[in-house]
């Protein structure tokens, strides 16, 4: 190639190893007035080569951009799939947890209902117990009164016996004094 030189870059060379790498490097043409006529004549071929290189570079750039766009689309698709999968996983986990929470809520409602029922029944039992206590107290009072009446009746019976005995003695004493 005109206007370019090759630079030798040595690489470690072993038997069967890689060959030394040679890279083309452009030369500095120097000051603008230092160009030779041969270089000016070869400028037309060089312009054609530059145009071909530009076309090739443009095509490579378009291919690179197309591949980059494909990668971006693939990456975006994978990102959407990952978001969808994460959303599904999150919903599944939340649903799994919600089952336990829902069961706990149902159990809590049942317990609350049972507590209310128990409170109502306890209040009714307390009222009924109060009534029973009142009835027992009335019964005890009646028994006391019966005991008092019985005691009174015994007392009267004893008094009547004493009076009857006294009357018998008086009557027998009168009979005996009349007969004598």
């Amino acid at each position: 190639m005109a206007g370019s030189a090759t630079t030798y870059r040595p690489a470690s060379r072993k038997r069967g190893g890689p060959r030394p790498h040679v890279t083309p490097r452009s030369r500095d043409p120097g000051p603008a007035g230092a160009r030779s006529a041969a270089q000016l004549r070869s400028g037309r071929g060089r312009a054609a080569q530059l145009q071909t290189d530009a076309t090739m570079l443009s095509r490579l750039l378009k291919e690179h951009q197309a591949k980059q766009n494909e990668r971006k689309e693939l990456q975006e698709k994978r990102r959407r799939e990952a978001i969808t999968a994460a959303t599904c996983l999150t919903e599944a986990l939340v649903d799994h947890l919600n089952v336990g929470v829902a069961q706990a809520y149902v159990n809590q409602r049942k317990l609350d209902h049972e507590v209310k029922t128990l409170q109502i029944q306890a209040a009714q039992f307390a009222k009924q117990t109060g009534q029973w206590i009142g009835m027992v107290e009335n019964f005890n009072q009646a028994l006391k009164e019966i005991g008092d009446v019985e005691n009174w009746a015994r007392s009267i019976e004893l008094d009547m016996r004493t009076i009857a005995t006294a009357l018998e003695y008086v009557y027998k004493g009168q009979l005996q004094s009349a007969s004598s």
Side-chain angles (χ1 to χ4, degrees):
M1 251 185 163
S4 65
T6 52
T7 309
Y8 175 73
R9 290 192 181 167
S12 63
R13 175 136 172 128
K14 294 182 181 176
R15 187 176 278 187
R19 294 185 172 194
H21 181 68
V22 178
T23 1
R25 192 188 282 182
S26 65
R27 283 191 185 167
D28 185 12
R35 290 188 185 159
S36 68
Q39 286 176 336
L40 287 176
R41 272 183 266 139
S42 69
R44 288 183 193 141
R46 188 170 181 194
Q49 181 65 33
L50 284 176
Q51 190 175 17
T52 306
D53 288 346
T55 307
M56 186 185 280
L57 184 61
S58 174
R59 192 189 74 215
L60 284 174
L61 180 63
K62 286 180 183 177
E63 287 177 4
H64 173 71
Q65 288 174 342
K67 285 182 182 179
Q68 222 174 9
N69 286 337
E70 286 177 15
R71 281 191 213 116
K72 283 182 183 178
E73 288 174 8
L74 181 62
Q75 187 176 7
E76 183 63 25
K77 179 183 174 187
R78 287 180 180 165
R79 186 185 70 82
R80 279 187 253 123
E81 288 174 354
I83 288 172
T84 303
T87 302
C88 288
L89 175 65
T90 303
E91 287 175 358
L93 289 172
V94 168
D95 287 345
H96 178 69
L97 292 175
N98 279 344
V99 168
V101 171
Q103 186 62 42
Y105 179 73
V106 167
N107 290 344
Q108 183 64 38
R109 286 187 61 198
K110 286 180 183 177
L111 285 173
D112 289 343
H113 182 267
E114 290 296 321
V115 165
K116 286 179 184 178
T117 304
L118 184 62
Q119 286 175 340
I120 291 169
Q121 289 176 349
Q124 288 175 348
F125 180 68
K127 182 179 177 182
Q128 191 175 27
T129 303
Q131 290 174 349
W132 288 346
I133 289 172
M135 288 173 58
V136 167
E137 286 176 356
N138 289 339
F139 182 69
N140 277 341
Q141 186 63 32
L143 283 178
K144 285 180 184 178
E145 288 175 5
I146 289 174
D148 288 345
V149 169
E150 186 180 346
N151 193 19
W152 175 77
R154 276 192 210 137
S155 175
I156 290 182
E157 183 182 355
L158 226 99
D159 289 344
M160 292 301 245
R161 282 191 186 156
T162 308
I163 293 173
T165 308
L167 283 175
E168 270 183 46
Y169 282 127
V170 171
Y171 178 72
K172 285 183 186 176
Q174 277 183 359
L175 275 180
Q176 284 181 359
S177 38
S179 56
S180 9

